[in-house]
Amino acid sequence: MTSPPKIEDLFNIDGYLRDFKGEICRRYGVFQDYLYKIEECGGMEQFTTAYREFGMNVQEDNSIKCLEWAPAADRLALVGDFNQWNQDSHVYKREEHGKWSLVIPANPDGSCAIPHGSFLKTAVTHQGQTSFKLSPWATYVTRPKSDCVIYHQEFYNPSETYKFKHQKPERPESLRIYEAHVGISSPEGKVNTYRAFADDVLPRIHRQGYNTVQLMAVMEHVYYASFGYQVTNFFAASSRCGTPDDLKYLVDKAHSLGIFILLDVVHSHASKNVEDGLNEWDGSKACYFHGNSRGYHSLWDSRLFDYTQIETLRFLLSNLRWWVEEFGFDGFRFDGVTSMIYHSHGIDDSFAGGYPMYFGLNADTDALVYLMIANDFLHKKYRQIVTIAEEVSGMPALCRPIEEGGQGFDYRLAMAIPDKWIKLLKHSRDEDWKIGDVVHTLENRRYAEKHVAYAESHDQALVGDKTIAFWLMDKEMYDFMSVDSPLTPIIDRGIALHKLIRLITYGLGGEAWLNFIGNEFGHPEWLDFPRVGNQESFHYARRQFNLVDADYLRYKFLNNWDRKMNGLEEMSGFLHKGYAHVSWKHEDDKVVAFERGGLVFIFNFHPSKSFADYTVGVDVPGEYRIALNSDDAEFGGHSRVDNSTKFFTFPESYAGRGNRIQVYIPTRTVLVLSKSN
C-alpha cells in the first residue's frame, strides 16, 4: 500500500488519525492510480488543456476544429444560423472512445465560415431521437431576444479581444475577502454588468480595505434565482452580466487595484436542464454523470458527476485551468464539498460520529480523490493559487498537503460560526448569552488547518431568513436609521452588537475573513431574485449602496467600522500571526479578552454594565494605546472612552499572563489596544 511521504507530519498534528492510517493510505493510493491514468492520456499538461481541442476552436487559418465526447450518441451534427439549421451539411465523424470530430474550412476569402455572434446548437441523435443541445465546452451562451427561455450557444469570435494590462498581485498573507454577486451589485433594480461592477463596485471594495474578491454566479446558470449554483454551462461566463471580454476587464481592474480574485466554482453538481445544460448531453442518463440513482441529488434536484470517468476528470480539471488561463482568476472557492465527499451528501447527517465517520463507508473516495487531483494540479501549476473548501463536517486533513495524506485545500469555511450567531439572536436574550460557549464556537476548528471566518453567510441574506443587521434591528431600520431621528434602544443595541459580533468573529474565528456584499454596512431587508412568486421583481435583487453614501443615514457608521477593522488587520496582520490567546471569559460580566498579533482585544457584551478600571492580563509589558474603539462617534458610538488614554502594564500576573492593565470598558463596546511603539 502506498503511503503519503509526509504522513508522519499529519500524525504529529493529530495523533488520533494514526488509527486510520490504512484508509488514508488507501485513498492516497487511489490518487496515485489516477495520476498514472492521466499520464497515460498524455500527461497533466495536455489533460488539463482539453478546451484547446474540445468544443469549437478557431485555427490560425480561420478553419474551425470541433471535437466532442458523446459515447452514447449515434450521430452529431452542427447546426445554426450559418447553415440555416441544416442537420446534414455539417455532420461529425465518429472517432475512437466515444469522440466525434468535425472540421469546417474557412471561406474562400479566408474569413471564418461561422460569423461572430451566430447562434449554434448540436443536433445529437440517440436511439432514433434527435435533440438540439449545447456543447459542454461552449464558451458563450445567451438567451435569444424573444420569449424563448432556452439558451443558445453563441459563436464568440470577435475581431479584437481584451488584452490584460496589469500584473497579478501577490497572494496576500491575510485574506480579507469580499464575497460579491455581480448581478445584484447595483442599487437599481436590474442585472448589473461586469464592467459596471469593475468601475463602480471594485473601488468601493478597495477603499474598504479588502484585498480579495470572491465572485459568485459567474459560471453560466440559466436560472438566475439559483444564486449561480445550478450551473448549466461550465466554460461560459454568465452572459446576463456581459461578454467574456467584459469579465476579463473586471478581473484586470481588480488586479490593477492589487485585489486577488477568486471564482466560486461549482464542481459538486450540475443543473438537470436537458436542452441548455450538460444533462443527457449524449442522449443517455450517464456520460459525465453517474447513470443510476447515484447521479441525482435529491435535495438540490440536480445531477452528480462520475469522478471515476477519465473524461469527467478531463472536463473538470480543464475547467479549472480555463478560468485561470483565460480569465486570470487567482483561485477558487469550491462549493458543496460536504455534499461531494459523503455518499449521503450530508443530508440529515448530524456529523456526530467522530473519526470513524470520516473514514467509514459513507465517505466518497471518488470525490475525495478528485479534490486531491484538483488541488495537486493547481498548486503545482500555479504557486500563488488559493483554494477554499465549503465544508461543514470537519473532515480531517482537508486543508493539509497531499503528501501528508490530506486533500490539499488552503482554507475551509468556518461554517458553524454564522449558525451560532443566528441561533443566539433568534433564541437568547442578551443577558443570557453564554460567553464561554461563544468563544468555544469561534475557536473550535481543526488545528493547523486554516479557516475563513465569517459572521453571516450569503444564504442568510435570502428571502426567508435575515441578516444579522435585520435580526438586530428589523423594522426599525425603516424609520430610525436617519441621524436626525431618535436613537432608539433597538437601533442603539443593533449598531453596537453588529460591530462586536463582526470583530470578535474576525479576531477569533479563523485565519481569513469574509464579508458578503452589503453586510459591511448592515444592508436592510432580504435578497430575493426575480421569480414567478414575486412577479419577476428586481426590487430585492440589488444592493443599496446609496444608503451608505447618504451622510444623513446611520449605515455609514457600520461601514466606517468595517473599513477600520480591515485597516487594523492590514496594520497588524493578526490573521496570519497564529492563534489568539484567550485569557478572560467572564460569564457575569460578559467580558472577553484575548491577544493576537500583538494586539489586545477587550469585549464587553453586557447589555447594561460598564466597568471602570477593569483588569486584563497581557503577555507583553509596556505602554499601550487604543488602536480601535467601537464607541467612537464615527462608528455610531457614544464617545465614552478617551482615545488619547495611555495604558501602562503592572508587572503582576493576571489570568495566566505575566502582566496586567486596567481599562474603562463601557457596555456593548470593544477596545483594541496596541503597543505604543
Side-chain angles (χ1 to χ4, degrees), residues 181-438:
H181 183 294
V182 171
I184 67 167
S185 63
S186 169
E188 301 174 42
K190 65 178 184 180
V191 177
N192 207 17
T193 67
Y194 296 125
R195 286 186 176 268
F197 182 92
D199 293 338
D200 301 334
V201 184
L202 279 176
R204 287 181 179 274
I205 296 169
H206 180 61
R207 288 195 299 271
Q208 285 298 111
Y210 291 94
N211 57 20
T212 306
V213 167
Q214 179 180 301
L215 276 189
M216 306 171 64
V218 171
M219 301 169 78
E220 186 61 88
H221 50 291
V222 169
Y223 185 42
Y224 188 41
S226 73
F227 225 171
Y229 292 119
Q230 291 278 347
V231 174
T232 46
N233 314 98
F234 285 76
F235 286 82
S238 179
S239 61
R240 59 174 56 88
C241 296
T243 68
D245 284 319
D246 293 337
L247 177 58
K248 292 176 185 179
Y249 174 83
L250 186 161
V251 174
D252 203 25
K253 184 65 173 287
H255 289 162
S256 75
L257 296 171
I259 293 175
F260 214 64
I261 189 155
L262 308 177
L263 176 72
D264 201 345
V265 70
V266 185
H267 283 181
S268 50
H269 67 132
S271 167
K272 71 173 187 178
N273 283 23
V274 172
E275 293 191 64
D276 47 17
L278 194 57
N279 190 19
E280 300 182 24
W281 147 248
D282 65 350
S284 74
K285 304 291 185 185
C287 199
Y288 293 102
F289 307 111
H290 290 286
N292 51 23
S293 61
R294 195 178 170 192
Y296 295 86
H297 198 296
S298 60
L299 191 62
W300 294 343
D301 195 26
S302 56
R303 295 305 312 271
L304 299 175
F305 289 104
D306 181 357
Y307 303 107
T308 67
Q309 285 276 6
I310 199 71
E311 293 301 333
T312 300
L313 293 179
R314 191 196 308 272
F315 179 79
L316 294 176
L317 293 172
S318 295
N319 187 236
L320 294 173
R321 185 164 182 170
W322 166 259
W323 291 108
V324 176
E325 297 277 353
E326 184 71 11
F327 292 98
F329 282 96
D330 303 301
F332 300 97
R333 179 257 199 197
F334 281 73
D335 178 69
V337 170
T338 302
S339 174
M340 294 175 70
I341 64 177
Y342 295 103
H343 291 293
S344 64
H345 310 300
I347 299 172
D348 296 327
D349 286 346
S350 66
F351 297 119
Y355 279 64
M357 170 190 69
Y358 300 121
F359 300 99
L361 294 177
N362 190 32
D364 190 328
T365 298
D366 303 338
L368 285 162
V369 168
Y370 164 66
L371 293 172
M372 293 169 73
I373 298 169
N375 276 307
D376 183 66
F377 159 66
L378 287 170
H379 287 92
K380 285 179 179 176
K381 181 66 178 177
Y382 310 106
R383 296 297 179 181
Q384 295 287 313
I385 205 86
V386 168
T387 60
I388 301 171
E390 187 209 23
E391 208 288 297
V392 71
S393 76
M395 172 66 74
L398 190 74
C399 298
R400 295 302 305 170
I402 309 290
E403 56 265 30
E404 292 181 10
Q407 276 67 59
F409 282 98
D410 298 296
Y411 296 85
R412 69 201 308 163
L413 294 179
M415 297 180 70
I417 296 174
D419 292 341
K420 182 64 178 181
W421 289 122
I422 294 304
K423 183 179 178 181
L424 275 178
L425 294 174
K426 285 176 69 173
H427 302 296
S428 298
R429 301 181 304 164
D430 297 1
E431 53 267 36
D432 295 332
W433 285 16
K434 303 298 183 185
I435 294 299
D437 189 43
V438 170

Side-chain angles (χ1 to χ4, degrees), residues 501-519:
I501 287 170
R502 287 170 66 81
L503 185 58
I504 198 171
T505 303
Y506 203 151
L508 271 185
E511 291 69 44
W513 166 250
L514 180 141
N515 168 78
F516 177 62
I517 182 171
N519 287 347

Side-chain angles (χ1 to χ4, degrees), residues 20 167 173 179 263 292 321 646:
F20 304 94
Q167 292 288 324
E173 288 187 286
E179 184 183 26
L263 176 72
N292 51 23
R321 185 164 182 170
K646 296 179 180 179

Side-chain angles (χ1 to χ4, degrees), residues 149-162:
V149 296
I150 306 300
Y151 277 52
H152 287 179
Q153 179 177 349
E154 188 171 328
F155 189 62
Y156 195 76
N157 186 31
S159 56
E160 292 186 13
T161 58
Y162 186 83

